[in-house]
């Protein structure tokens, strides 16, 4: 999927490549871009960004074309996460209230060059968003992200200011044509452009009930998607503490124009000072009060002069400090030093400054305006003070008189009362701090917000792309069809990679509805995937796709009727399978079973039917029924691969940390992990084991925990989400995988190795012999041999260098070989080498990737799609024992 971001600034990663000054604004965009690039193999997104050209860009030597007088630049930023294509266009950002029609030609040429499936406009407050919405023809594939709403802001711009202040002008205002009234008019003009952009776009993303209310009025036909914002990375670490702050200090993130409401705070400060004499207010951002000498005073605005008069009138010179512009690190330090954060704006949607304060746990007071109540709960996260009277329309929570706003004195009194109430109550401060932080962790959860954005993109692309590809799907066959019972999170990264490499000529056919239990576990994400078709809903279409596609990958269901027609026609079929005999190969003696295996597999041994073995013991099982001789290849499951700063990942791992995560089932053997912990405790080792999971063996686990007296060494965490388990892996040095032969693969091994754990795995797990090189990137122990398991874990605890080395090597194994992108490249290379696919791959794709190649067969010697060795359980154990830890 090709996604084009329209941003208001040049991302710092691009500025760094061009040796230009980076903006401190909208720093969260960089973090989001890094995640999208880093997880490209999982999300299948080809990302490009477009932004207004910064001064000096022409001198960098970037490729440039001129359209109707508008320069358009193009380049590639090479980052540790991957390459990022970028475009920049000329725009007068100093006067964003003026629309330049020449922008349209430049942006049109950019869309023609990149051909995006989705255009995501971050913010509606600049002319370029309207220009993009006008020129991009596929309106249902435009997503506009609401930050603020200039049209509504304009109606509240005066923020209870006295009329004489609104009408006043300074020399600076006259020369720059920028009086308070003119500023308000500029907001109104920007609001009209914003209104048209929302009316044109087919999709809107917002984060509050307030922005949903207004955008749904402006464009009832647009689809609204709720998506919270991820904040700058700096604010996800550390926590505010009362003991460390400057007592009775108040922090405002900015105050250089009326909407930000600094005048409310200055009006409230005398009443606060009467109760708290040493109170002090710190204001970030530019000082506009002309306090730096006569030259600066000549440049003062009418609003700045009004603020200056309030400071003089109430003798606040020693209690108000302007800090100037602060970068993310400096902002964070100021939050942590402050006793209270105050948002006293006359109108806001959901200010990131408030979110940052909440995320750090800084006590907060905020005006109840705009969308703030959607992210901040009154009397739980802090205090929302009233700025309006009751209204039939609950969204008229503004400071404008025509919307029943309170007077300046009334609002300032409410603000003062709220500040005093918190600063004089330490118990209240600590409670609000904890509640706000917990709330913000949910609102600004970076992983959830990222996943939501991916879901939005796939839904938007699927809406129109599905109709655009209808001919391709219904008329001519697609190149590759994957048929299985239902799609899951272990298959999605592989499917995304196939869909991308085949340029959309890929379909996943789901043969049955998902069980309720799986849905409750959060597996039903396939509704958002553009390549998924449902056999039980579109039977004839799916039959046609399976019969006529170039290649079918089939597995995960016992029902053979889906591919019967294709097998009869001797068209290529690639099966994938876990082992046949999970309870033991003695099951092969069943005559009925052997007959079925012959019908399904053995009789096709000379046909174009191949087997991908999802587990090291699969070849041995199929060898028993004499199927696929010379046509079996290594395979597995490929959960999302994460790309880390490995040194940083290793630094965050806790000494002596051990993790076990699975359902409490007899064949998962949680008792083996507890027995290992008991041995380590008795031997006097310093360690801590976390066990994530629950299930039918919970009574036994609880009993063993008590019998072994492990309460100080083992923590039972209960069920944890996949993302939470990954976080636990990232903190753990050792991971235990104790399943027996009934674990056909065990994708948890992929994830633990990707997270840099030293994995200790049972030799019976299907994934273990494929993923683990004994003693290099993990250790395999003999299933059921508790002493063997205990000794290996003991050795790893004794040798931290060995433990870390295994973890680092394991990361390389997943990143370079056992991942979805490599699997897709190799499978497509195999298909092309066999002549099943012709000219369907991207020009830059590789037949195989990573590792040496068997030139005779054009297959890799190791990893996915390499030849699968037929080897039984006993021989496998013998091979493993040859190389001990």
């Amino acid at each position: 999927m090709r996604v084009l971001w329209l941003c208001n600034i040049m991302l710092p990663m691009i500025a760094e490549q061009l040796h230009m000054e980076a903006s401190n604004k909208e720093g969260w965009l960089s973090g989001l871009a890094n995640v999208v690039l880093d997880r490209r193999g999982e999300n299948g997104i080809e990302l490009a960004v477009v932004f207004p050209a910064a001064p000096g860009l022409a001198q960098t030597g970037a490729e440039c074309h001129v359209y109707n007088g508008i320069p358009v630049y193009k380049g590639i930023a090479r980052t540790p996460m991957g390459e990022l294509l970028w475009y920049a266009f000329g725009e007068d950002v100093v006067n964003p209230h003026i629309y330049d029609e020449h922008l349209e030609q430049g942006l049109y040429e950019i869309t023609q060059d990149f051909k995006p499936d989705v255009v995501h406009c971050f913010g509606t407050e600049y002319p370029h968003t309207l220009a993009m919405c006008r020129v991009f023809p596929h309106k249902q594939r435009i997503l506009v992200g609401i930050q603020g709403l200039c049209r509504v802001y304009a109606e509240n711009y005066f923020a209870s200011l006295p009329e004489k202040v609104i009408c006043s002008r300074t020399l600076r205002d006259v020369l720059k044509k920028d009086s308070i009234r003119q500023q308000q008019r500029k907001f109104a003009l920007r609001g009209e452009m914003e209104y048209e952009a929302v009316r044109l776009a087919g999709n809107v993303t917002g984060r509050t009930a307030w922005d949903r209310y207004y955008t749904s009025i402006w464009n009832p036909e647009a689809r609204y998607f709720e998506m919270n914002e991820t904040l700058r990375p700096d604010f996800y670490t550390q926590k505010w503490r009362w003991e460390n702050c400057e007592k009775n200090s108040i922090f405002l993130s900015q105050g250089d124009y009326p909407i930000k409401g600094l005048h409310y705070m200055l009006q409230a400060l005398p009443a606060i000072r009467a109760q708290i004499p040493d109170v002090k207010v710190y204001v970030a951002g530019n000082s506009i009060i002309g306090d730096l000498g006569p030259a600066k005073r000549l440049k003062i605005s009418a609003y700045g002069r009004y603020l200056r008069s309030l400071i003089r009138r109430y003798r606040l010179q020693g209690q108000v400090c302007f800090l100037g512009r602060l970068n993310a690190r400096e902002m964070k330090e100021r939050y942590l030093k402050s006793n209270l954060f105050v948002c006293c704006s006359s109108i806001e949607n959901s200010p990131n400054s408030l979110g940052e304060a909440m995320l750090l746990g800084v006590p907060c007071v905020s005006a109840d305006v705009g969308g703030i109540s959607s992210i901040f709960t009154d009397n739980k996260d802090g205090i929302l003070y009233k700025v309006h009277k009751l209204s039939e329309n609950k969204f008229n929570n503004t400071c404008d008189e025509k919307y029943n706003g309170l007077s300046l004195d009334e609002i300032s009194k409410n603000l003062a009362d709220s500040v005093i109430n918190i600063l004089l109550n330490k118990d209240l401060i600590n409670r609000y701090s904890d509640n706000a932080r917990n709330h913000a962790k949910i609102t600004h959860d970076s992983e959830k917000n990222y996943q939501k954005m991916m879901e939005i993109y796939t839904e938007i692309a699927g809406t129109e792309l599905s109709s655009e590809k209808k001919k391709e799907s219904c008329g001519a066959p697609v190149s590759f069809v994957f048929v299985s019972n239902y799609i899951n999170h272990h298959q999605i990264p592989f499917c995304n990679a196939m869909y991308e490499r085949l340029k959309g000529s890929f379909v996943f056919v789901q043969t049955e509805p998902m069980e309720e239990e799986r849905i409750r576990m959060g597996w039903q994400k396939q509704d958002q995937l553009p390549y998924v078709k449902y056999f039980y809903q579109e039977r004839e279409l799916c039959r046609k796709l399976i019969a006529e596609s170039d290649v079918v990958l089939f597995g995960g269901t016992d029902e053979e009727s889906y591919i019967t027609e294709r097998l009869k026609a001797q068209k290529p079929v690639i099966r994938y399978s876990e082992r046949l005999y999970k309870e033991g190969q003695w099951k092969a003696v069943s005559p009925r079973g052997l007959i079925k295996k012959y019908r399904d597999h053995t009789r096709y041994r000379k046909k174009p039917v191949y087997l991908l073995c999802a587990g090291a013991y699969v070849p041995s099982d199929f060898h028993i029924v004499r199927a696929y001789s010379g046509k079996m290849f290594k395979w597995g499951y490929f959960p999302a691969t994460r790309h880390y700063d490995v040194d940083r990942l290793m630094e965050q791992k806790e000494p002596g940390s051990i993790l076990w995560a699975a359902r409490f089932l007899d064949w998962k053997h949680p008792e083996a992990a507890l027995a290992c912990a008991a041995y380590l405790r008795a031997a006097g080792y310093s360690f801590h084991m976390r066990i994530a999971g629950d299930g039918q063996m919970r009574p036994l686990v609880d009993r063993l925990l008590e019998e072994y007296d492990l309460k100080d060494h083992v923590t039972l965490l209960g069920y944890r989400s996949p993302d939470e388990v990954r976080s636990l892996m990232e903190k753990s040095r050792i991971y235990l995988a104790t399943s027996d032969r009934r674990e056909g693969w065990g994708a948890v091994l992929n994830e633990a190795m990707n997270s840099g754990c030293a994995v200790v795995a049972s030799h019976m797990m299907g994934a273990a012999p494929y993923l683990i090189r004994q003693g290099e990137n993990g250790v395999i122990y003999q299933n059921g041999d508790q002493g063997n398991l205990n000794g290996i874990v003991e050795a790893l605890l004794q040798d931290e260098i060995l433990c870390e080395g295994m973890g680092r090597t394991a990361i390389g194994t997943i990143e370079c070989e056992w991942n979805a992108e490599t699997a897709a490249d190799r499978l497509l290379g195999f298909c092309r080498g066999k002549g099943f696919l012709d000219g369907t791959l991207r020009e830059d794709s590789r037949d195989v990737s990573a590792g040496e190649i068997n030139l005779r067969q054009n297959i890799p010697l190791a990893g996915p799609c390499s030849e699968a060795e037929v080897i039984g359980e006993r021989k496998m154990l013998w091979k493993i024992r040859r190389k001990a830890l």
Side-chain angles (χ1 to χ4, degrees):
M1 187 193 319
R2 300 170 71 84
V3 178
L4 180 66
W5 283 5
L6 178 59
C7 306
N8 299 330
I9 61 164
M10 177 190 292
L11 298 184
M13 66 176 72
I14 300 172
E16 181 180 350
Q17 295 268 315
L18 298 172
H19 305 291
M20 299 181 68
E21 185 178 353
S23 171
N24 286 326
K25 295 171 59 180
E26 301 177 3
W28 54 273
L29 263 178
S30 293
L32 193 58
N34 283 334
V35 175
V36 174
L37 291 174
D38 192 32
R39 299 169 70 171
R40 185 176 290 175
E42 166 194 337
N43 57 44
I45 286 178
E46 186 172 348
L47 179 67
V49 297
V50 53
F51 49 86
L57 183 57
Q59 283 71 53
T60 64
E63 177 184 340
C64 180
H65 300 277
V66 179
Y67 303 102
N68 285 352
I70 298 292
V72 173
Y73 302 87
K74 180 181 179 181
I76 295 176
R78 292 173 174 82
T79 76
M81 280 63 64
E83 294 185 346
L84 176 64
L85 178 65
W86 61 264
Y87 302 86
F89 55 92
E91 182 180 30
D92 181 9
V93 294
V94 178
N95 297 295
H97 59 287
I98 299 174
Y99 185 79
D100 184 356
E101 292 184 353
H102 293 100
L103 283 172
E104 296 177 10
Q105 185 64 34
L107 290 174
Y108 174 80
E109 296 296 336
I110 290 170
T111 60
Q112 287 298 297
D113 184 68
F114 184 66
K115 294 182 173 55
D117 298 321
V118 177
V119 174
H120 187 173
C121 306
F122 288 89
T124 54
E125 63 270 33
Y126 283 90
H128 54 245
T129 298
L130 174 57
M132 179 64 80
C133 291
R134 283 181 173 178
V135 302
F136 190 65
H138 309 288
K139 308 305 181 190
Q140 292 306 312
R141 287 198 260 143
I142 299 175
L143 174 67
V144 294
I146 304 301
Q147 294 178 359
L149 291 173
C150 289
R151 201 180 201 201
V152 185
Y153 282 20
E155 295 171 344
N156 303 279
Y157 191 85
F158 298 140
S160 314
L161 291 174
E163 186 66 19
K164 66 178 182 179
V165 175
I166 295 172
C167 296
S168 66
R169 294 188 296 174
T170 64
L171 177 62
R172 174 259 180 206
D173 295 340
V174 173
L175 295 176
K176 299 188 72 170
K177 298 180 181 179
D178 195 43
S179 68
I180 293 176
R181 284 199 177 277
Q182 287 170 319
Q183 291 170 14
Q184 190 268 349
R185 177 60 182 160
K186 291 173 185 178
F187 262 78
L189 292 172
R190 295 172 72 180
E192 291 308 308
M193 290 185 281
E194 172 187 71
Y195 174 78
E196 184 182 344
V198 173
R199 294 276 295 172
L200 287 171
N203 308 277
V204 173
T205 178
R207 54 198 185 275
T208 66
W210 178 81
D211 64 39
R212 183 168 194 160
Y213 171 80
Y214 282 103
T215 55
S216 64
I217 291 177
W218 298 355
N219 186 357
E221 301 301 318
R223 290 182 296 177
Y224 182 94
F225 297 95
E226 184 174 347
M227 184 177 74
N228 291 314
E229 284 197 327
T230 298
L231 303 179
R232 294 179 285 183
D234 303 69
F235 298 94
Y236 287 83
T237 58
Q238 290 188 263
K239 183 183 185 301
W240 176 91
R241 297 188 181 281
W242 184 86
E243 312 85 67
N244 300 334
C245 74
E246 178 185 343
K247 304 303 180 288
N248 299 326
S249 60
I250 300 171
F251 180 45
L252 278 64
S253 62
Q254 56 182 305
D256 53 358
Y257 61 109
I259 282 176
K260 296 304 175 182
L262 178 55
H263 54 287
Y264 293 116
M265 176 54 73
L266 298 181
Q267 285 272 109
L269 206 49
I272 298 171
R273 183 174 56 189
Q275 297 289 321
I276 308 170
D278 61 341
V279 67
K280 192 165 185 177
V281 176
Y282 294 90
V283 186
N286 294 328
S287 173
I288 62 167
I289 63 170
D291 57 348
L292 298 176
K296 290 288 185 181
R297 289 174 194 170
L298 289 174
K299 299 179 181 180
I300 196 169
S301 66
Y303 182 62
R305 186 170 62 185
Y306 174 60
L307 296 179
R308 185 178 181 86
S309 70
L310 292 177
I311 291 172
R312 284 178 173 175
R313 183 191 311 170
Y314 299 121
R315 295 183 175 85
L316 303 174
Q317 289 87 343
Q319 293 177 294
V320 180
C321 176
F322 289 88
L323 303 171
R325 294 183 179 181
L326 305 179
N327 60 32
R329 179 185 57 79
E330 292 166 336
M331 283 287 287
K332 178 181 174 180
E333 290 175 358
R334 175 45 57 186
Y335 280 115
L336 295 174
K337 288 179 183 177
S338 302
N339 203 160
L340 181 68
F341 174 80
V342 174
C343 174
C344 46
S345 300
S346 65
I347 189 70
E348 291 280 5
N349 186 13
S350 63
N352 283 348
S353 57
L354 178 59
E356 290 168 351
M358 294 172 66
L359 199 53
L360 292 170
V362 183
C364 298
V365 165
S366 176
D368 185 5
V369 296
I372 287 178
S373 60
S374 290
I375 67 164
F376 186 81
T377 306
D378 188 27
N379 290 322
K380 182 178 180 182
D381 301 328
I383 295 179
L384 284 175
Y385 65 91
K386 298 302 179 185
V387 299
H388 62 97
K389 300 171 186 174
L390 293 177
S391 168
E392 291 182 4
N393 177 4
K394 65 180 179 179
F395 296 104
N396 286 344
N397 49 357
T398 67
C399 301
D400 194 290
E401 287 294 333
K402 70 179 181 179
Y403 286 133
N404 297 319
L406 301 178
S407 69
L408 175 59
D409 289 338
E410 290 173 315
I411 295 170
S412 298
K413 181 180 184 304
N414 291 342
L415 169 57
D417 291 343
S418 301
V419 169
I420 293 167
N421 188 17
I422 286 188
L423 289 182
L424 294 182
N425 193 329
K426 181 181 175 182
D427 292 336
L428 201 61
I429 281 178
N430 289 328
R431 185 166 77 248
Y432 285 159
S433 171
D434 292 338
N435 291 343
R437 190 162 190 260
N438 292 334
H439 190 171
K441 283 181 178 179
I442 297 171
T443 303
H444 304 293
D445 185 313
S446 57
E447 178 62 21
K448 289 181 180 178
N449 295 341
Y450 163 80
Q451 293 294 345
K452 181 63 177 177
M453 187 172 73
M454 295 301 102
E455 292 171 10
I456 293 170
Y457 287 168
T458 51
E459 181 168 346
I460 291 172
T463 300
E464 189 165 304
L465 289 178
S466 60
S467 62
E468 290 176 353
K469 296 182 183 294
K470 192 171 183 180
K471 293 181 181 178
E472 183 181 36
S473 297
C474 299
V478 297
S479 298
F480 201 107
V481 173
F482 186 173
V483 184
S484 192
N485 54 353
Y486 44 69
I487 199 164
N488 62 55
H489 57 287
H490 294 151
Q491 294 166 327
I492 288 174
F494 169 74
C495 291
N496 286 344
M498 294 289 285
Y499 184 71
E500 177 194 2
R501 282 153 175 73
L502 290 167
K503 298 179 180 178
S505 191
F506 171 84
V507 169
F508 184 99
V509 173
Q510 178 167 309
T511 62
E512 61 189 68
M514 190 174 291
E515 305 107 310
E516 282 298 320
E517 181 183 3
R518 301 292 186 186
I519 294 173
R520 289 194 298 270
M521 292 169 63
W523 279 31
Q524 199 171 29
K525 293 183 178 180
Q526 72 275 18
D527 290 340
Q528 311 296 329
L529 299 170
Y531 48 75
V532 176
K533 303 289 183 185
Y534 305 95
F535 194 94
Y536 45 91
Q537 293 179 354
E538 302 175 276
R539 192 173 295 269
E540 291 307 314
L541 170 62
C542 291
R543 278 184 176 155
K544 184 178 178 67
L545 290 169
I546 294 169
E548 298 182 4
S549 64
D550 294 328
V551 182
V552 164
L553 175 60
F554 181 77
T557 175
D558 292 330
E559 178 55 61
E560 291 288 310
S561 63
Y562 299 108
I563 57 170
T564 299
E565 180 182 346
R566 186 176 182 88
L567 290 169
K568 287 180 179 178
Q570 297 190 30
K571 291 187 174 182
V573 173
I574 300 175
R575 293 178 179 269
Y576 84 89
S577 177
E578 294 183 10
R579 65 181 309 178
L580 295 174
Y581 305 115
K582 289 187 176 182
E583 295 181 9
Q585 291 181 340
W586 60 270
K587 285 275 191 177
V589 300
S590 166
R592 182 179 297 178
L594 288 173
I595 292 171
K596 178 170 174 54
K597 301 301 183 295
Y598 175 81
R599 288 175 176 171
D600 294 348
H601 304 285
T602 310
R603 62 173 170 167
Y604 299 110
R605 59 182 176 270
K606 295 184 179 180
K607 307 300 182 186
V609 185
Y610 301 82
L611 180 66
L612 300 179
C613 303
Y617 303 105
V618 176
S620 177
D621 285 359
F622 277 92
H623 180 70
I624 291 174
V625 298
R626 299 293 186 265
Y628 308 113
S629 177
K631 298 194 294 182
M632 292 187 283
F633 304 93
K634 293 181 181 180
W635 199 245
Y637 293 95
F638 305 95
T641 299
R642 297 184 180 180
H643 298 274
Y644 298 98
D645 178 330
V646 178
D647 290 335
R648 183 176 297 178
L649 176 65
M650 291 303 172
E651 286 174 3
Q652 76 180 38
K653 289 187 177 293
E654 300 168 358
S657 52
I658 304 172
L659 178 64
W660 186 97
R663 290 175 291 166
F664 290 177
L665 301 175
D666 58 350
W667 55 273
K668 299 278 189 180
H669 298 291
E671 76 282 359
L674 291 171
C676 180
Y679 170 82
L680 297 173
R681 175 187 171 279
Y685 286 100
S686 175
F687 74 97
H688 188 84
M689 181 182 292
R690 295 186 180 90
I691 295 182
D694 212 327
Q696 63 190 37
M697 292 185 69
R698 181 59 184 261
L700 173 62
V701 169
D702 289 338
R703 179 170 61 80
L704 291 177
L705 197 68
E706 186 71 23
E707 284 183 9
Y708 294 150
D709 190 20
L710 294 172
K711 59 181 179 298
D712 293 331
H713 292 83
V714 176
T715 301
L716 299 183
L717 301 173
Y719 282 125
R720 287 290 186 268
S721 70
D723 289 335
E724 289 173 321
V725 172
R726 284 302 292 265
S727 296
L728 291 168
M729 290 174 174
E730 289 163 2
K731 294 191 295 185
S732 302
R733 289 191 178 274
I734 300 171
Y735 184 86
L736 303 184
T738 55
S739 298
D740 59 31
R741 63 165 57 89
R742 284 171 285 182
E743 188 76 81
W745 177 256
V748 70
L749 287 187
N750 304 61
E751 295 170 332
M753 292 174 70
N754 183 205
S755 302
C757 298
V759 171
V760 182
S762 158
H763 85 282
M764 284 293 193
M765 294 181 68
Y770 278 1
L771 296 183
I772 296 176
R773 299 190 301 274
Q774 184 74 335
E776 295 180 28
N777 62 358
V779 190
I780 301 174
Y781 74 95
Q782 181 177 351
N783 180 69
D785 188 337
Q786 189 67 50
N788 189 200
L789 171 62
N790 295 348
I792 292 170
V793 177
E794 181 179 23
L796 291 173
L797 285 177
Q798 289 174 340
D799 193 338
E800 290 189 0
I801 295 176
L802 174 65
C803 187
E804 181 174 324
M806 284 187 183
R808 288 176 178 270
T809 308
I811 293 172
T813 300
I814 303 302
E815 287 189 349
C816 299
E817 189 171 68
W818 282 95
N819 58 71
E821 288 197 322
T822 299
D825 283 336
R826 290 183 173 187
L827 183 58
L828 291 174
F830 171 81
C831 292
R832 188 163 70 171
K834 290 291 183 182
F836 302 153
L837 294 173
D838 182 22
T840 56
L841 290 175
R842 300 179 306 175
E843 292 181 2
D844 61 340
S845 258
R846 299 160 292 174
D847 286 354
V848 293
S849 61
E852 298 181 9
I853 302 170
N854 181 328
L855 295 176
R856 181 177 61 84
Q857 298 184 3
N858 194 36
I859 62 173
L861 296 180
C865 282
S866 61
E867 188 173 358
E869 181 184 10
V870 176
I871 185 167
E873 295 171 0
R874 290 184 180 179
K875 188 175 180 182
M876 183 69 76
L877 181 60
W878 177 79
K879 285 186 65 175
I880 292 166
R881 282 175 171 171
R882 289 181 63 190
K883 188 170 184 181
L885 178 62

